Amino acid sequence: MTQKIIAGMLLLTLLRTTLAQAQTNAANQPPTREKFKVYLLMGQSNMAGRGVPEKEDKTPHPRVFVLTQSNQWQVAVEPLTLGEKKKTPGVGPGLAFAKIMADANPGVSIGLVPCAVGGTPLKRWVKGGDLYENAVARARDAEKVGVLSGVLWHQGEADSGSQTNAESYGDRLTKMIADIRADLNSPKLPFVVGQTGEFNYTRPGDPQPFARLVNETLSKIPDTVPNTGCALSKGLTSKPDLVHFDAASQRELGKRYAAEMLRLEKAQQKPARLKQAESGRKLLKQ
């Protein structure tokens, strides 16, 4: 009799463990496609993240997911970007951005697709470049389960050391935005760029003499390219290396990205609401 009781207890424990694991697995999976908004994270190290993670960076949001390097979705915590050779992963703007987007869209989950690689120039991100092609491929994988809803871009430091690169930055970035929209069959895909740190203006030795020019160019992208926004870097602070944003500034930058993305999404939704209102007025007149 005792053996039967022990066996029963073991079976009950196994069933409870199996059920708990099933519930955990279910919670870690993104929702149906129409309720899953996906955003690409593109650029160099400040998008990849170098801030030292703190408690809130390790605190997940139940509706925020990240696509791993092995193309598996999992609940997102910092660091989001893993696999960079000889790099120490850290906090970027992505998670803070996604948490705000999730809170602003009840019932919708947010998926992040990290593509950023530290130290990379724009020439690797234009059509035909290795990082461009990788981002497009990852976006297409993500689109199998979610709706591609926007791009976050943070890059420019690598192009701030050359006057030629800095002066041509706007034209080259504009062409890249057009190309990625075309390749992903999304001509109005929201695209938010982020300014590099203002601390680049006064770094010892002036390794980025054209950082101010690149930032001015980034701030003017919304004036010339439809459905774009710019997250300004004013007041943000760096780590002691004077290269990367600290964790607090990365979270603030993520908020600024979210504010711009929400503005763009609201603008895109406005025509639909106006059409509905016009339709309603016509019905009332009949």
Side-chain angles (χ1 to χ4, degrees):
M1 185 67 177
T2 302
Q3 291 180 340
K4 290 183 178 180
I5 293 174
I6 293 174
M9 292 176 64
L10 289 173
L11 179 60
L12 181 60
T13 300
L14 178 61
L15 289 173
R16 286 175 175 171
T17 301
T18 302
L19 178 60
Q21 185 62 51
Q23 292 173 334
T24 299
N25 291 340
N28 288 344
Q29 295 300 311
T32 55
R33 188 178 189 278
E34 62 271 15
K35 293 186 177 182
F36 191 37
K37 302 181 70 171
V38 172
Y39 298 88
L40 294 184
L41 307 181
M42 298 171 58
Q44 54 183 112
S45 58
N46 272 309
M47 178 58 79
R50 297 291 188 266
V52 179
E54 298 173 337
K55 183 178 180 180
E56 58 189 297
D57 306 308
K58 293 291 187 179
T59 303
H61 187 293
R63 290 185 286 112
V64 174
F65 299 83
V66 62
L67 186 66
T68 67
Q69 291 299 309
S70 57
N71 287 334
Q72 300 296 316
W73 289 102
Q74 64 182 34
V75 174
V77 294
E78 292 286 9
L80 299 176
T81 302
L82 299 174
E84 289 182 279
K85 294 181 179 179
K86 299 181 181 181
K87 306 291 184 181
T88 301
V91 178
L95 183 58
F97 161 83
K99 287 180 177 180
I100 293 173
M101 298 301 292
D103 289 340
N105 292 275
V108 173
S109 290
I110 304 299
L112 299 173
V113 184
C115 302
V117 179
T120 54
L122 179 55
K123 66 182 181 180
R124 292 183 63 185
W125 289 100
V126 299
K127 186 176 177 66
D130 60 329
L131 297 180
Y132 176 94
E133 300 303 333
N134 177 67
V136 169
R138 281 175 63 76
R140 288 171 176 162
D141 283 334
E143 283 188 296
K144 295 175 183 177
V145 295
V147 178
L148 184 61
S149 301
V151 177
L152 272 59
W153 171 258
H154 199 284
Q155 191 277 340
E157 295 94 339
D159 288 78
S160 296
S162 160
Q163 183 174 356
T164 299
N165 287 340
E167 290 179 343
S168 64
Y169 191 85
D171 290 339
R172 291 183 293 135
L173 180 57
T174 297
K175 179 66 165 56
M176 185 270 275
I177 295 172
D179 285 337
I180 200 166
R181 284 172 168 172
D183 285 342
L184 295 175
N185 195 31
S186 183
K188 296 182 179 180
L189 182 67
F191 198 107
V192 180
V193 304
Q195 287 185 316
T196 67
E198 292 183 329
F199 43 80
N200 288 315
Y201 304 164
T202 56
R203 285 173 58 190
D206 200 18
Q208 296 181 14
F210 302 100
R212 193 184 299 271
L213 175 57
V214 169
N215 267 358
E216 290 173 353
T217 299
L218 287 164
S219 71
K220 294 175 182 177
I221 289 294
D223 297 333
T224 57
V225 183
N227 302 307
T228 62
C230 180
L232 304 180
S233 64
K234 185 175 180 59
L236 300 184
T237 54
S238 74
K239 294 172 61 179
D241 62 10
L242 298 179
V243 176
H244 301 106
F245 294 114
D246 56 33
S249 289
Q250 285 284 26
R251 290 190 291 270
E252 174 59 28
L253 185 60
K255 294 177 183 178
R256 297 179 187 184
Y257 271 110
E260 287 297 304
M261 188 63 71
L262 288 170
R263 178 183 64 80
L264 293 174
E265 292 184 352
K266 183 177 181 180
Q268 287 188 338
Q269 293 167 1
K270 187 176 180 180
R273 292 199 300 269
L274 289 176
K275 288 180 181 179
Q276 290 176 352
E278 291 173 358
S279 177
R281 286 194 292 271
K282 289 179 180 178
L283 288 173
L284 288 174
K285 291 179 181 180
Q286 293 177 353

